[in-house]
Each structure stands twice: as C-alpha cells, then as structure tokens.
Amino acid sequence: MDPMAEIKATFFQECEEQLAELEIGLLAMEAGDSGSETVNAVFRAVHSVKGGAGAFGLEDLVRFAHVFETAMDEVRTGRLASSPDIVKPMLRAADVLADLVRAARDGGEVDAARSDAIAAELSAMTDGDAHASQVDDGMGEIDFKPVQVTTDDPPAREASGWTVRFKPRSELYRKANETVLLLRELARLGEVEVELDASELPLLPHLDPEGAYLAWTIHLRGEGSEAAVREVFEFVDTDCELDVQPCDPDSDGQGDVEAVADLGAGLDIDALIRNAQAQVRDGQATGPDTTTEAAPVVSAPGANRPEPVKANASISAPTIRVDLERVDRLIDLVGELVINQAMLAQRVTEAGMARASSVAVGLDELEQLTREIQDSVMAIRAQPVKSVFQRMPRLAREVAGATGKQVRVVTEGEGTEVDKTVIERLADPLTHMIRNAIDHGLEKPDSRRDSGKNPEGVVRLSALHRSGRIVIEVSDDGAGINRERVRAIAAEKGLIAGDAMLTDEETDNLIFMPGFSTADSVSDISGRGVGMDVVRRSIQELGGRISIVSRPGLGSTFTMSLPLTLAVLDGMVLSVGDQTLVAPLTAIVETLQPRRSDVHSVSGGSRVIAIRDRYVALIDVGMALGYRSEPLDPEAGVALLIEGEGGSRAVLLVDAIQGQRQVVIKSLEANYRQVVGIAAATILGDGRVALILDADALVAASRGAEMRLLPTG
Amino acid sequence: MTQPMSESPKPPGLGRELISFRIGSQEFCVDIMSIREIRGWTPATALPHAPAYVRGVINLRGAVLPIVDLSIRLGLGAAELTPRHVIIVAQVEDQILGLLVDAVSDILTVTDDMIQPTPDVASEAVRTFVRGLLAIDGRMVSFISLDRVLPEGELELAA
C-alpha cells in the first residue's frame, strides 16, 4: 500500500469512529440531552470528517459536511435551540454523511437529490430569518465561505485589532500541532506582536517533558474579523484555552501589552538559576513545598492553570491499532501452546508419574497459565457489540419511514464483548431481524392506539454474557406471532400436514423453516424469499442457536446464543471405527443408548430410529464418511440426537463417546479443500489431527431418508 | 527429523538446484525452492471422500497438512508404509502439502539445457506431472512439477 493510500485508509477508519460518535451524540440530543459536551461532540465529529475530507479533496463530502457543521455550530452557540425538529433532520443528515463517506471510500454514487434536499433543509435551518432571501433551494447556488458561520455575530465593532490569549494544553502538542505555525498563520491577518508567558514553567525537577506550560498573548492589528482569527485555531480549539478580545480602539494595543507583561512575569532566567542553585545547596531540590515558596518569580497571579484531570477525562483509555494478521498469528501460536501443553500432560501420564509429583504439579500450573494466556489473547480479538448495534437505529428509521410505522430502538449491553468475526457476521442476521420486527412485528400507529398502546413501537436490542456465551435478544412490543396465519401458510406451502397438531412453540418455530415467509406481499423491506431460515442458518454457522418466544398482543422475543470466539469450540470427542472425531457440542441435543428394536430399515438401505414415537433419520457416521463398510450394530454404539439447519433433526450413530473438551479449530481448506460432512479439523492431545463433524451437512445429506421435516421436540 | 536446507553446499555459477527422491526403483526430482522441510512419516488421519492418493492429514506445528502418496499419484501403485518413509513438505502456490516418498537421495545442481523433454510414449500420469528427464551418472531422474498434485475442481458431493 502506498503511503497516501495508507493515510487515506486511516482517515476512513477514523471517519467511521467519528460517524459513530455523531450518531450517539445526536441520539442523545434526540433524547433531550442538549448539554454542551454532547453538542460539542457532535460538532467535533462533523468537523473532523470535514477537515479530513478537505485534505483528501473529497469535495462532495466537504460541501455537505460544511452545511451540516454550520447548522451544528448554530446549535452549539445557542442560536438554535436543540429540539426534535432540529435533531431529526440532523439524524438524516448523519445518514447522508455516512453514505458520502462510504461512497468516497468504496466508490459509487450517493443519491444527490436526497443529500441536496437534506442540505437545503439544514441551511434553511441555519439561515432562518436573517438570510432567508439568499437561499432558495438546492445547494448549487450557495457559496460556502466560512464567513457564513459568523454573519449572525453581534454587530461587528470597528475594532482596530484583537488581543488573543492562547494557551495550549498538552493534548495540542500530543496531536502534533505546532504553535509556531499557528502564530505564523495569525501573522498573515495583520501586524502581530507576540508575548510569551512562561510564568507557569516549573523548575526542571518538576517539569513534565510532555506538559504544556507556555502561553502567548498576541496583539493583532488589522482588519481581520473575529471569525478569521478564530479560524486560525479551528483545529486546536478543543485543546487550548483561547480568548479573543477586541482591542480598545482608543488604545493602540500598547496598554494591553504592558498589562499582560505585568500579569505574567515573563521568564527570568537569572532568577530561576539562582533559585535552583539555592535549592541544590540546601539539598531540598525535590521538595514541592520548597519549590513553590522559594520560587516567587514563577508564580503568576491570575494565570489560568489547566485542570489536567478534566482534560484527561475526555480521553478514553489509550489504544493502538494492530494489524489483524498479527493478532491471528498470536492466537494460532497460543493454540499451539495449548495443544503442546496437552500433549506434554499426556506424555507425563503415560510415563507413569504420580499425580503429586513435582512434574505433574508444575504441569498443572502450566495448564492454568496457558488457559489464562489463551483467554487474554482471545480478548484482543473481542470487541464490544456496539459497532453493530449502533447501525440499527438508522436501519430502524429507514424501515419505519418506508412502512409508515413509528419506532424507537432501545439498545442494552452495547459494551458486551465478543470475537470480531462473530460481530461481523452478526450484522446481517441482526439487520434482518430488526427489519422483521418492525415490518411484521410492530403494528401501524393507528392500530396500536386502538389497542391502547403507545403509537411508537419499541424494538429492544440487548446483549449479555451468560455462561461463556453471548446472548443477544431482539424483542418488539408488537402483536406477536399470528399463529393461525403461520399454520395456514405452512400448510399451504406444504411444510406441514393440514391437520397437524402443533404446540404453540412448534408453530412459532415454523417461521424458521426454509421457504416460509409470512409477509402478505413480498415487500422491499423483509421479503425476497429469504426469511428467518437464513437468519437461523447464519446463527448456526457461527455455532449459535436461536429461539423465539411470542406472546399474542405483547410482542415477540428472539434469543440468540453465540460462542464468544470462533477459534475454539466445545466439542464431544467420539470414536468412529479407528478414527477419532469431534462433534460440536452446540449441535447435540441429547445422547442416547439405542435399542435394536427402535431401529428400522427403510428403502435404500437407510435406517430410521424411533425416539419418543417419532422417527428420525439414523446416520451411521462411519458409513457416511467411509470409515467402515459394514453398518454398525446400534446396540454396540451410542446415538447422538443432533439438530441441524431449519430445526431438522437426525441421529448420529458412533462407536463411543470419549469425552468432552475444548478444541482449537483449524482450517482444512487452507491447505486442502472443503470436505463434505466435515466442518474443520483440530489437533488433539496426542498431536494427531481429528476432524470436526459438520452436523448440518450430515443432516442435509440424510434428508432423503427423513420421515418428517418437523422438529421432533 | 527436520533437515534445514541451508546446510546444502551452495553451487558455484548458474543453474538450479533440485532435490531428488526415490519411489520404488524410480528416481524423481523437484525444484528445491518449493521444498520447506523433510520429516519422518507419522500416521495420518484419514479424510472422508478423498482419492486413494490422499493419505490423510497430519499436524505440522499446528497446520493441518494433507499427505499425498506420490507413488499412487504417479501411477506406481500403493506401497506398504514403513517408518522409513519420509514426507517432503512442499509449498505449492499458497498451500502447503506433504509428499510421501520412499527416501530422499540427493541434491542436484543442473542447468536448464540438461533437462531433456519427455518422450511421447509416456502415460497420462507422466504427461500430467513430468516436466522433463535428467540423466545423472547414468540414472534417469524424472523432473516433476507439483502444480497438479492435489485433487482439483469442485467438491464431489457425497451421496
């Protein structure tokens, strides 16, 4: 990647962060928080996007961000009160801004009419009465000069100049700004006289090399407006104390200079040296009390001491960006360590060492340490679900807009962490479920009112950790599943027999069947033939499960339970023929000891097994994978009832269960190719490769032999 | 069992280095640049629905490595496995695979003009893999390419 592209990539990454901040801020404003911190955060976000976009010459983005920024500035300065009428268009503007950023990054087009309309709406807001005559519609005519921001300023005084007091905080330097450049920039506006105020400079022992101790007072004589002066500090204004005062027209500015010079006593090097020497002689150079007492030269009355605590509070915990490949390499290595440790343990047992021997004890400690390292390394890949959750309010707005419904999205547990890949692959199913919840779950405002509900529906999205897994719930307070209709549709589509007797739970689960879609008409929102079966499938691919609870009139709740990482898996270690296989624990519903009388042969040599009066396909794993040429006697083996895609079930017949353990997932495709019936591989304690069964594929392969498609539970 | 390749003496002048190995009574060689290491035979985990020449997979320091029995692949028939067999770990494009051979015999330094074209009489297996023939001290060594050693194409769906 060439350096420019790299910088640009970083810019887009930061844009995503800024856009997220923007949305969070706007949502807070929508909820009634108009505190300056929130408003400023929103302003800063738009501002940063604009700044970066300008540097890369992304003109569309700059133009739109500018209009947005202008509007935000009005709110920030209090000229425009934050209200739902203001915030709603801003939320839409944030969506457009996000689209523009993505278009700039990935190429592609943004609906110009939409962005123009929203830009016009924003500028109408800012121009209000004062400039209504200047702006008609569209953006083409608007001449974006930064001056526009300031036209509403109090009547401009015929100031002969400005006195600028500028005191950088350490963050300013940390962000690689340079005061000299700022001052030089200021000098372009007119004649300047710069005073350095070094009164806060501590003695060397107390000097934080990265601290900010200097302040400047600049007397600017010239025609420049206050806005022009402030613009110089545009990119640093959050990281410094800035005070811009008009010079008294009567004075030529000299008075101010003297006043300031009196106030801050400059840097008296001789005095400092004398003092320091005195302290060294007294051997008290490190006493803070002594310093303040013995250094009257540096104490400046009235100087604004920055509050470091406050400044740091806004900075979140320090983070670094790391190439994902490096993290994955580390995870691989730790996986190796775990396997090696297990091998070592096995060797020690084989060698006949006593449990209490010092080797065995050391090994136990090693195991503990290894597990801890593994957990910590996995935590590097873990990210809060926030990144996917925060896309949902926007989606909800769009779906609500398209369906004429009112919706509020409530998210909980956004900080819950899960593997990055899980998060990425969660986005699609969640999107689909939110759409479904609004499109099918929530009623229209009128009918909600009729049934005594708030016309605004609530879709709740929550995440939490439960017993080593992440549980995500999507619930709505809509009408719940219409079981009559579900049953009718399922019968019509031939998914169930017309006279099938189903429990409520079974009926609800019908919506997960392939080819099922309850929408009256295939709508743009959630139709298109993909339904909850796709959602279920994506969740199962992640090693998760999904279930639904629906209460008529009160709404539905979908609950997903997912593993925290895709790198390890809880598996059941099985013997099949002379091979050792692993079955994912999540796919196994129960294990049972089959009786010969329960097993029946059906046409084509396939077998079924009766479990509580239902016939389920019996898959002889050894036969299916070609490890055995003769079918296994059911009573000589163990049966595992598994649930695959679409809730269909099958029974796997294996020779024996060896135990249960966590295994590190290894790709088979990396060096070979996909194998039907095998999901991946792992390495067991003896150092040998064991294959992990793909329950879905085995069930699918046995479809032909299945008696009923219905869940048996 | 690993023998780092860097121990081999650097030949003076141009030409390429080949590593030669024995399968039954025949000798073959491959470009040394595609060889990562040589290790002893360890029992492999059988793969379902795999062609006969794929012996299974082994654990190579955490990577799952498919083992191709070159004897079967080259149409020389299956050999009885002994602990004396070795696995040549080779890199083919972005995949790593293990080649099961009887023994590694030599490192040859050859120039391109020493590689003679394969005569027309050859069988299909020879046409697929053999790039040329070398006469080394009166022995014939077949120079093979590893590009098509692993099964290709779409998955054959299991019934």
Side-chain angles (χ1 to χ4, degrees):
Chain A
M1 204 190 277
D2 71 281
M4 196 59 186
E6 209 168 297
I7 296 169
K8 212 165 172 177
T10 310
F11 161 65
F12 283 123
Q13 266 171 21
E14 282 168 3
C15 267
E16 289 295 330
E17 285 159 21
Q18 298 293 351
L19 289 169
E21 288 292 316
L22 174 61
E23 172 131 8
I24 291 164
L26 284 173
L27 288 174
M29 282 168 71
E30 194 185 23
D33 174 6
S34 54
S36 65
E37 207 142 291
T38 311
V39 176
N40 275 328
V42 171
F43 177 80
R44 266 199 308 275
V46 181
H47 184 78
S48 311
V49 171
K50 181 184 122 176
F56 291 106
L58 305 168
E59 282 172 21
D60 287 349
L61 191 53
V62 174
R63 211 176 310 138
F64 188 83
H66 182 78
V67 181
F68 197 171
E69 184 191 11
T70 310
M72 240 0 266
D73 195 46
E74 297 285 301
V75 178
R76 187 170 73 136
T77 52
R79 280 188 290 268
L80 205 59
S82 162
S83 70
D85 289 346
I86 299 290
V87 177
K88 284 238 181 321
M90 286 197 171
L91 275 166
R92 285 200 300 277
D95 295 346
V96 171
L97 193 67
D99 288 345
L100 283 164
V101 167
R102 268 151 225 159
R105 180 185 59 198
D106 308 329
E109 290 294 313
V110 171
D111 184 358
R114 177 157 164 255
S115 68
D116 286 358
I118 289 172
E121 207 174 327
L122 288 177
S123 18
M125 226 151 70
T126 45
D127 290 332
D129 2 274
H131 303 277
S133 57
Q134 284 181 11
V135 180
D136 298 319
D137 56 351
M139 314 220 340
E141 277 76 45
I142 305 172
D143 187 11
F144 296 109
K145 285 193 176 136
V147 194
Q148 207 183 2
V149 185
T150 63
T151 41
D152 282 343
D153 277 343
R157 278 170 53 174
E158 264 311 304
S160 61
W162 303 93
T163 301
V164 182
R165 191 175 149 77
F166 168 54
K167 180 168 189 329
R169 280 194 276 267
S170 51
E171 287 82 46
L172 181 139
Y173 298 109
R174 211 169 292 149
K175 292 177 187 169
N177 290 296
E178 175 61 78
T179 43
V180 172
L181 298 176
L182 292 167
L183 296 177
R184 204 175 284 165
E185 190 65 26
L186 204 57
R188 290 188 193 186
L189 299 173
E191 197 182 323
V192 290
E193 202 169 308
V194 181
E195 294 273 334
L196 171 68
D197 175 5
S199 56
E200 286 185 27
L201 195 67
L203 286 175
L204 212 49
H206 303 285
L207 183 89
D208 172 5
E210 294 191 346
Y213 302 103
L214 302 177
W216 286 268
T217 307
I218 305 109
H219 305 280
L220 173 71
R221 272 182 288 276
E223 302 300 307
S225 66
E226 183 178 349
V229 174
R230 285 195 181 271
E231 201 187 303
V232 171
F233 299 96
E234 194 178 18
F235 286 97
V236 297
D237 60 359
T238 53
D239 300 322
C240 67
E241 285 160 34
L242 185 66
D243 180 41
V244 182
Q245 292 294 334
C247 285
D248 193 341
D250 299 336
S251 126
D252 59 355
Q254 201 51 49
D256 295 48
V257 179
E258 275 158 14
V260 172
D262 288 346
L263 191 74
L267 186 57
D268 186 340
I269 300 286
D270 287 344
L272 281 171
I273 293 172
R274 274 198 306 278
N275 239 302
Q277 284 169 340
Q279 281 184 21
V280 172
R281 267 197 309 276
D282 298 349
Q284 293 176 320
T286 47
D289 291 331
T290 337
T291 315
T292 35
E293 276 171 21
V297 269
V298 291
S299 74
N304 280 338
R305 191 167 278 278
E307 294 166 21
V309 177
K310 197 181 168 218
N312 287 335
S314 62
I315 305 166
S316 52
T319 56
I320 52 165
R321 288 177 201 279
V322 179
D323 198 340
L324 201 54
E325 261 179 40
R326 292 193 193 178
V327 175
D328 289 347
R329 170 91 186 119
L330 188 61
I331 288 176
D332 277 352
L333 284 173
V334 173
E336 284 322 288
L337 187 64
V338 171
I339 291 162
N340 257 303
Q341 186 272 325
M343 283 165 64
L344 199 58
Q346 196 159 332
R347 297 285 143 78
V348 168
T349 316
E350 283 165 10
M353 297 241 193
R355 286 295 303 162
S357 71
S358 57
V359 172
V361 170
L363 211 55
D364 281 350
E365 276 164 22
L366 178 65
E367 178 173 355
Q368 191 126 15
L369 214 54
T370 316
R371 294 255 167 239
E372 265 174 50
I373 294 175
Q374 193 173 26
D375 288 348
S376 312
V377 169
M378 295 299 179
I380 299 179
R381 269 188 69 96
Q383 289 192 323
V385 288
K386 188 172 154 193
S387 61
V388 54
F389 272 23
Q390 70 194 8
R391 292 189 227 167
M392 297 305 152
R394 169 183 182 176
L395 173 82
R397 280 198 294 283
E398 287 177 355
V399 178
T403 53
K405 292 175 181 174
Q406 289 176 17
V407 60
R408 188 157 56 91
V409 176
V410 180
T411 53
E412 285 164 10
E414 291 161 307
T416 314
E417 290 191 335
V418 67
D419 187 88
K420 187 177 154 61
T421 315
V422 176
I423 291 186
E424 282 162 3
R425 287 167 61 183
L426 210 50
D428 280 348
L430 268 187
T431 304
H432 203 83
M433 289 169 74
I434 296 277
R435 280 184 180 153
N436 261 330
I438 299 168
D439 197 17
H440 300 318
L442 295 182
E443 316 91 323
K444 299 253 182 208
D446 289 347
S447 58
R448 285 183 68 91
R449 221 173 270 125
D450 291 346
S451 49
K453 291 183 183 173
N454 187 334
E456 189 181 57
V458 176
V459 172
R460 195 174 292 273
L461 190 57
S462 72
L464 59 96
H465 280 152
R466 192 187 290 155
S467 50
R469 290 170 78 81
I470 184 171
V471 176
I472 295 178
E473 285 191 352
V474 179
S475 60
D476 63 71
D477 65 345
I481 285 182
N482 184 340
R483 298 196 173 113
E484 280 305 306
R485 265 176 48 74
V486 165
R487 220 164 296 172
I489 289 170
E492 182 194 321
K493 301 206 168 168
L495 301 173
I496 53 168
D499 55 354
M501 296 291 290
L502 299 175
T503 63
D504 284 351
E505 195 194 336
E506 283 175 340
T507 313
D508 292 346
N509 276 299
L510 286 175
I511 63 166
F512 291 118
M513 303 223 18
F516 185 92
S517 178
T518 48
D520 284 328
S521 58
V522 172
S523 65
D524 256 1
I525 309 301
S526 44
R528 294 207 195 292
V530 293
M532 292 306 292
D533 63 311
V534 178
V535 170
R536 187 188 187 114
R537 173 136 212 199
S538 341
I539 298 299
Q540 283 176 338
E541 274 170 7
L542 287 170
R545 292 172 154 275
I546 183 167
S547 62
I548 178 173
V549 175
S550 183
R551 284 167 302 163
L554 294 174
S556 313
T557 301
F558 289 91
T559 307
M560 288 168 278
S561 150
L562 294 153
L564 293 179
T565 167
L566 299 181
V568 292
L569 166 139
D570 284 313
M572 199 175 265
V573 184
L574 312 167
S575 304
V576 176
D578 56 352
Q579 300 285 329
T580 301
L581 293 167
V582 176
L585 215 50
T586 50
I588 299 171
V589 181
E590 60 175 289
T591 60
L592 30 102
Q593 185 62 60
R595 280 189 310 240
R596 206 169 284 141
S597 57
D598 290 339
V599 177
H600 308 276
S601 286
V602 289
S603 59
S606 47
R607 294 186 286 179
V608 295
I609 182 168
I611 297 175
R612 288 184 286 278
D613 297 334
R614 282 181 196 263
Y615 291 111
V616 183
L618 182 75
I619 302 165
D620 188 330
V621 177
M623 293 281 283
L625 298 181
Y627 290 153
R628 192 200 308 278
S629 49
E630 287 299 311
L632 179 68
D633 175 3
E635 279 184 16
V638 181
L640 312 174
L641 179 61
I642 57 163
E643 186 175 81
E645 168 198 341
S648 56
R649 295 184 174 194
V651 168
L652 300 183
L653 186 63
V654 300
D655 293 34
I657 293 174
Q658 292 181 14
Q660 193 177 314
R661 57 170 292 185
Q662 198 175 56
V663 297
V664 178
I665 298 173
K666 296 282 174 186
S667 160
L668 203 52
E669 285 109 279
N671 290 321
Y672 187 56
R673 58 173 185 176
Q674 225 181 328
V675 177
V676 175
I678 301 298
T682 187
I683 293 162
L684 293 179
D686 59 3
R688 288 193 59 173
V689 176
L691 303 176
I692 302 174
L693 291 172
D694 182 346
D696 272 5
L698 284 174
V699 173
S702 75
R703 268 277 159 75
E706 219 167 333
M707 296 301 280
R708 298 183 68 177
L709 264 170
L710 268 184
T712 53
Chain B
M1 277 314 231
T2 305
Q3 300 167 7
M5 286 300 116
S6 54
E7 284 175 15
S8 62
K10 266 280 168 222
L14 291 170
R16 61 164 111 193
E17 280 185 286
L18 306 174
I19 192 155
S20 71
F21 49 86
R22 211 166 36 73
I23 299 172
S25 58
Q26 300 196 33
E27 240 183 302
F28 298 88
C29 61
V30 291
D31 196 319
I32 207 167
M33 296 312 286
S34 61
I35 305 304
R36 299 265 296 257
E37 65 181 84
I38 294 163
R39 52 187 294 132
W41 162 251
T42 44
T45 301
L47 284 171
H49 317 301
Y53 58 82
V54 177
R55 285 276 183 173
V57 284
I58 62 162
N59 164 23
L60 178 75
R61 290 184 299 279
V64 176
L65 190 76
I67 302 299
V68 171
D69 188 330
L70 263 190
S71 173
I72 305 178
R73 189 60 170 142
L74 295 172
L76 305 173
E80 193 63 36
L81 278 176
T82 68
R84 308 252 304 271
H85 276 79
V86 294
I87 292 170
I88 301 177
V89 180
Q91 172 120 25
V92 179
E93 283 164 16
D94 55 352
Q95 293 193 315
I96 305 172
L97 63 99
L99 306 170
L100 181 68
V101 301
D102 287 3
V104 171
S105 39
D106 206 355
I107 292 169
L108 312 171
T109 305
V110 299
T111 51
D112 281 351
D113 59 336
M114 290 166 70
I115 302 173
Q116 305 168 18
T118 323
D120 255 356
V121 291
S123 72
E124 202 207 319
V126 171
R127 277 202 306 276
T128 310
F129 303 108
V130 178
R131 290 283 158 272
L133 300 175
L134 286 154
I136 306 287
D137 302 334
R139 293 168 297 154
M140 185 188 82
V141 180
S142 308
F143 175 46
I144 62 172
S145 125
L146 300 176
D147 297 348
R148 295 169 65 187
V149 162
L150 272 185
E152 329 181 31
E154 292 302 300
L155 298 176
E156 305 122 48
L157 282 173

